[in-house]
Amino acid sequence: MAQQLQITAARVDPALLDLPWEVPLEEWPTDVLAALPRGISRHVVRFVRLSGRVIALKEIGERVAYQEYELLRALGRLEAPAVQPLAVITGRTAPDGEELNSVLVTEHLQYSLPYRALFSQYMRPETAGRLIDALSVLLVRLHLLGFYWGDVSLSNTLFRRDAGAFAAYLVDAETGELHPSLTHGQRGYDVDLARTNIIGELMDLQAGEVLDEDVDVVDVGNQIVERYESLWSELTQEESFDTAERWRVTERINRLNDLGFDVGELTLTTDVGGTTVSIQPKVVDAGHYHRQIMRLTGLDVQENQARRMLNDLDSYRAETDRQNDDPVIVAHDWLDEVFTPTVRAVPRELRRKLEPAEIFHEVLEHRWFVSQQQERDVPLAEAIESYVENVLRHRPDERSFLDRDSVEMPAVDG
């Protein structure tokens, strides 16, 4: 191993030293690599199993590696939806003395999927809309934090299932910048670039016969502009109303909560005559339902999964006539009597296919579907058995696909 190898990390895993850094990533032996799907990247990217987890390695220049590492750390402190940076490897030299590029090390996001695993000729039409919704929410969240992406695309995003929808995560921050706030021009450039890149990426899939040619890729690309602007307006616009309509303050907050955002501060102003009131959210935090379920149960789940779990918790509270009991105690009992037994009823070898919260959501969805189909109230145990045999057993393992090339991956039913 080269003497000048350097590892920069907040916490260094000694196992990193055992990897063949003197070899270009492109030539790493297959016995070192983890078999996971890779999206399209301008750089060489490889996945490796290390100390019981999977890490992603990206070969880039030293300056860019350090810049992206620090930016991802900053986004982590802001609780932004992005991959977690682990280290930067510099000073790599091949046995013949050739200098090799530096490597950025990030933690692989479990249960995440590149867009090529989702956009396929077998994809249901509504899946495209859900992916665009997820990317729109991601872009709005990043812009609210003052993050200018500079290279918004499906290729630079990973998606995780979220109770029938998707949650999007930033995976490439090479061109990003963090500011106290963004100008209208910076936001507009990101949105326009997202539209252009999405259209190009979908055209590429159509050319490769991965995406059905009947899909209007321009329309799909335009959707991100419409959905971004709609969401941004709802989160930031100023609203005026008569002083007699003070209930509209609560209504505005409830609308923001329904979108998954909390209001940290509101600015209320009245006109000279005191007849109208203006309201504008000042600080908006994402993860409204996530924080509620975390506080009540300690479970760290996606936003829509948390909303679904809270709805089931409310039903449990009503069924057991415990509306006046301490919510934390009721939630603890719901966890022990409903959520955990449901997940554990799934055979152990099948649980890794989806996250536990997503399995719980799908069981409830399946129970409702079968009940409607058979016009009777299907018991939960029966619904679980039917779901396992008729749905889950036929799903691919989304924790880690066993495919080397995402282009050849089986279609994932959206």
Side-chain angles (χ1 to χ4, degrees), residues 67-142:
Q67 177 179 312
E68 186 169 5
Y69 173 76
E70 292 299 336
L71 191 51
L72 287 173
R73 291 188 66 192
L75 289 173
R77 289 190 289 269
L78 294 172
E79 299 183 348
V83 294
Q84 178 184 353
L86 298 178
V88 174
I89 313 296
T90 59
R92 300 173 64 218
T93 306
D96 62 2
E98 177 189 0
E99 293 186 3
L100 302 177
N101 260 337
S102 300
V103 172
L104 173 67
V105 184
T106 58
E107 186 153 3
H108 172 64
L109 188 64
Q110 283 193 344
Y111 300 101
S112 64
L113 300 163
Y115 80 99
R116 293 181 71 92
L118 295 164
F119 279 95
S120 73
Q121 58 186 342
Y122 304 108
M123 177 192 70
R124 295 205 300 262
E126 60 268 26
T127 303
R130 292 205 296 269
L131 289 177
I132 297 302
D133 279 340
L135 185 53
S136 301
V137 172
L138 171 63
L139 193 53
V140 166
R141 289 185 62 181
L142 293 173

Side-chain angles (χ1 to χ4, degrees), residues 307-324:
R307 187 201 300 252
R308 183 60 186 269
M309 293 165 70
L310 287 167
N311 288 340
D312 196 69
L313 176 55
D314 286 341
S315 297
Y316 172 82
R317 182 182 290 111
E319 291 169 1
T320 55
D321 194 23
R322 301 180 63 182
Q323 291 93 332
N324 297 322

Side-chain angles (χ1 to χ4, degrees), residues 10 101 215 297:
N101 260 337
V215 175
T297 68

